[in-house]
Amino acid sequence: ESNNVGVRHYGHNYSNPGIIRTRRNIFNRNTYMPVAIIPSLVTDFGTGVDADILGSGGDANGYNGLGLSGDTITTVSGETVTFEQKEFAGISNIPYLLASASSVLGAQKIQGVGEVVFEPGVIVKGVRGLESQLKFSGGVSISMIGTESEPIIFTSARDDTVGGDTNNDGSATSPSGGDWHYLYLYDNTSLIAEYVKASYGRNFIYDNDSGKKSDVVIRNSEIKSFSSDGIRLIYADLVLEDSLIESNNVGVRHYGHNYSNPGIIRTRRN
């Protein structure tokens, strides 16, 4: 009760990051979120009569979600970090929360030559004013393959249309562009995204590495209501197909800063 974050687990041994098991606890008035984890941590949250309880009304936590602990995960070949749907405190598919300011969680960074998988239906929300972002580097491969019925969601913690009233304020606030920062790619990172819905950030994708270009493939997705560029690329190659790019400051921007090899942008049926 009344902590900055209720429980945080860093899981520093990445090949065996540990287990967090909770039963019948009460989380009240924590400034940000009840629990923060790394995505590769094994979780065993109670359900049914064993479920944990989140305070409501004057006892509500700042946000109902699972914070991302803000540490660096270094992957090796053959290793996979998975963002999966989790149930916590009676909330099925509770959102993951980005709160990247150093005073809260810091930015979650995943690097190395392994794979990062976002499973269908996963929801990631960014907290406004806290530099909310995910960083990927070092050759990691990112797979975001949702489905038409279960898209992968990136949105604002103020967005009550998916994942519930995450910031516990009823209808007092609504989402807007710039509520969170971006997914930051550099150092030869590859991303493939299908059936992803992203909204209300500064940019959905932002790459910045002159030495080793990243590759970005996006299909059957929606990128909407970003305050700057929906997709902002400086060096990466981009394939964009069958997607809706709507209500951003600029839909897609590519700077092509490596002038001897400025990159490729390929679009079809958007």
Side-chain angles (χ1 to χ4, degrees):
E1 185 176 85
S2 302
N3 308 288
N4 199 38
V5 176
V7 176
R8 186 188 308 200
H9 198 309
Y10 287 93
H12 270 189
N13 182 350
Y14 304 116
S15 61
N16 184 21
I19 300 171
I20 180 170
R21 179 182 187 272
T22 66
R23 297 289 189 276
R24 302 175 300 278
N25 302 291
I26 298 172
F27 294 87
N28 284 342
R29 296 192 300 276
N30 294 290
T31 303
Y32 293 102
M33 65 280 299
V35 174
I37 60 174
I38 64 169
S40 55
L41 189 71
V42 176
T43 57
D44 179 14
F45 298 130
T47 60
V49 296
D50 289 326
D52 299 298
I53 298 170
L54 300 178
S56 60
D59 289 328
N61 301 282
Y63 299 88
N64 287 344
L66 298 178
L68 294 174
S69 277
D71 202 14
T72 298
I73 300 173
T74 301
T75 64
V76 299
S77 180
E79 185 176 10
T80 301
V81 175
T82 302
F83 288 79
E84 61 185 4
Q85 294 189 34
K86 294 181 182 292
E87 179 177 342
F88 175 70
I91 302 173
S92 61
N93 194 17
I94 191 168
Y96 292 93
L97 290 174
L98 305 177
S100 305
S102 57
S103 60
V104 187
L105 296 177
Q108 181 74 68
K109 179 179 177 182
I110 304 175
Q111 63 184 17
V113 293
E115 184 178 18
V116 181
V117 173
F118 289 77
E119 294 188 342
V122 161
I123 301 168
V124 181
K125 292 188 173 186
V127 177
R128 184 176 178 86
L130 295 180
E131 305 167 20
S132 299
Q133 60 189 278
L134 275 172
K135 294 183 175 182
F136 304 94
S137 72
V140 72
S141 299
I142 309 159
S143 174
M144 302 177 181
I145 309 298
T147 66
E148 190 170 4
S149 61
E150 280 197 297
I152 297 164
I153 306 291
F154 293 88
T155 189
S156 166
R158 295 182 171 189
D159 183 358
D160 297 347
T161 65
V162 289
D165 180 19
T166 303
N167 64 341
N168 284 317
D169 72 344
S171 59
T173 58
S174 57
S176 59
D179 277 358
W180 59 284
H181 275 198
Y182 35 63
L183 307 185
Y184 187 57
L185 313 182
Y186 57 107
D187 192 15
N188 202 31
T189 296
S190 66
L191 166 69
I192 181 166
E194 297 185 9
Y195 292 104
V196 172
K197 293 185 177 182
S199 55
Y200 301 122
R202 180 183 297 178
N203 315 111
F204 175 40
I205 303 294
Y206 177 24
D207 93 293
N208 187 12
D209 191 337
S210 60
K212 299 178 181 178
K213 288 202 305 181
S214 299
D215 294 311
V216 177
V217 177
I218 300 174
R219 297 187 175 102
N220 298 299
S221 295
E222 296 181 7
I223 300 171
K224 301 169 63 174
S225 302
F226 284 85
S227 63
S228 182
D229 310 320
I231 301 171
R232 179 185 179 96
L233 303 177
I234 298 179
Y235 303 99
D237 293 338
L238 172 67
V239 174
L240 180 65
E241 298 177 346
D242 302 297
S243 295
L244 176 64
I245 316 298
E246 183 177 87
S247 301
N248 309 289
N249 195 41
V250 175
V252 178
R253 185 187 306 213
H254 200 308
Y255 287 88
H257 269 193
N258 183 348
Y259 305 115
S260 61
N261 184 18
I264 299 169
I265 180 170
R266 179 184 187 274
T267 65
R268 297 290 187 276
R269 302 173 301 277
N270 301 291

